[in-house]
Amino acid sequence: QTKIWAFVGLSDTIVKPDATINIINALNERGVDAKLTEFDNATHFDVPSLGYKNNEFINWLVNCSK
């Protein structure tokens, strides 16, 4: 019942974007509540500032604890 929201930079050379995308797709196929946000031209190091500082993510995170 754990909710998951993954963020991936499509220009990431450290963690291949397809790896994250495939995992999230596999989880969703099994009924897991897994969300994915992809960032064009973002590297591995761009993702925290793009994703985790996003107000939608903060609201989602707060609501997960309710």
Side-chain angles (χ1 to χ4, degrees), residues 5 11 37 40 59 64:
W5 188 349
S11 295
T37 299
D40 290 329
N59 290 334
C64 283

Side-chain angles (χ1 to χ4, degrees), residues 7 10 28 34 36 39 41 51 53 58-59 63 65:
F7 298 93
L10 296 179
N28 282 318
L36 175 67
F39 297 109
N41 301 316
K53 294 179 182 177
I58 299 301
N59 290 334
N63 288 320
S65 64

